[in-house]
Amino acid sequence: MTPPLVAVAHGSRDPRSAATVRALVDVVRAQAPGLSVHESFLDLSEPRVTDVLRKLYADGHRTAVVVPLLLGSAFHARVDLPALVGEVTAECPGFRVRTADVLGADPALEAVALDRLASAPRRRGTGVLVSAVGSSNASANAVVAALAARWEERLGLPVSETFASAAQPDIPAAAERLRARGVRHLVVASWFLAPGLLPDRIARLAREADPGAFIASPLADDPRVADVVVARYATAVTGLLRADERV
């Protein structure tokens, strides 16, 4: 039996976030006909990933692949999700759940984020803020900082990372950093999959810093995001098959 794909997002109190995830999963289904694909969430939205996995086990599945719809490998990927998967497998004898890599800073997602800037006004004195959620995990934040550095070289504009929570620089600090380099107009790139409370906070603070700021939309309505989800699943399935060959 082909392992089902369980896409798991963080979840949000903002219904737009879950709606975007469900739309993304619909695109994954269209790109992988015949594959059983399920959306799920860590918290705040339904269904929970634990409930989806238990239902798959009850339906007779003995393997499943969880694909984290996360752009960084931080607490949710390293701690929360493994704990929830472990909770289910401890209850379900013989159930193997393989967790794929996070979506991360995949080149396809980077291309989507850059393409979102194509309609930004072309004005002298423009700088770019790469906005992300932020984490207590320094390595997760460093990925966003590296993204900003690559974009600065590619775009030939001043670029800074900025975070919605848990890390610096926040929008006011990042905007001030760019102003010190002669920036007068802000373009805010989105390193978020879906709309929600944190992207709204980014937009509000950016417009306080520059009322004319251009705010790019999140990434997940682009079909290239679904391509990356399918690729992560395929890599994880290959890992399961290799493990079976070693038994």
Side-chain angles (χ1 to χ4, degrees), residues 44-222:
L44 301 173
S45 302
E46 296 291 338
R48 296 284 301 278
V49 63
T50 47
D51 295 333
V52 171
L53 290 172
R54 289 186 183 105
K55 177 66 164 55
L56 290 172
Y57 184 79
D59 289 344
H61 291 277
R62 292 300 176 263
T63 58
V65 171
V66 170
V67 180
L69 302 182
L70 301 171
L71 294 178
S73 182
F75 188 84
H76 298 307
R78 296 171 182 266
V79 179
D80 282 349
L81 182 55
L84 293 171
V85 170
E87 175 186 318
V88 174
T89 55
E91 298 172 4
C92 301
F95 194 24
R96 291 193 302 159
V97 179
R98 186 91 169 194
T99 301
D101 288 340
V102 299
L103 305 186
D106 189 280
L109 302 186
E110 190 171 344
V112 173
L114 279 167
D115 287 350
R116 292 284 198 259
L117 306 185
S119 58
R122 299 180 182 276
R123 297 177 289 189
R124 191 183 299 272
T126 292
V128 178
L129 295 173
V130 182
S131 65
V133 60
S135 172
S136 58
N137 184 299
S139 62
N141 299 328
V143 170
V144 183
L147 194 70
R150 287 198 299 274
W151 287 20
E152 177 156 331
E153 183 175 349
R154 177 169 178 169
L155 299 173
L157 297 171
V159 181
S160 173
E161 71 277 13
T162 188
F163 301 103
S165 64
Q168 288 292 324
D170 59 10
I171 283 279
E176 188 59 35
R177 175 189 288 183
L178 291 184
R179 282 195 198 97
R181 300 178 62 191
V183 166
R184 301 189 305 278
H185 308 292
L186 294 179
V187 168
V188 182
S190 179
W191 196 241
F192 290 89
L193 284 178
L197 302 178
L198 292 181
D200 283 355
R201 180 190 299 172
I202 289 282
R204 176 177 57 80
L205 291 172
R207 290 192 172 111
E208 288 177 4
D210 172 13
F214 174 88
I215 312 294
S217 58
L219 310 181
D221 64 349
D222 190 291

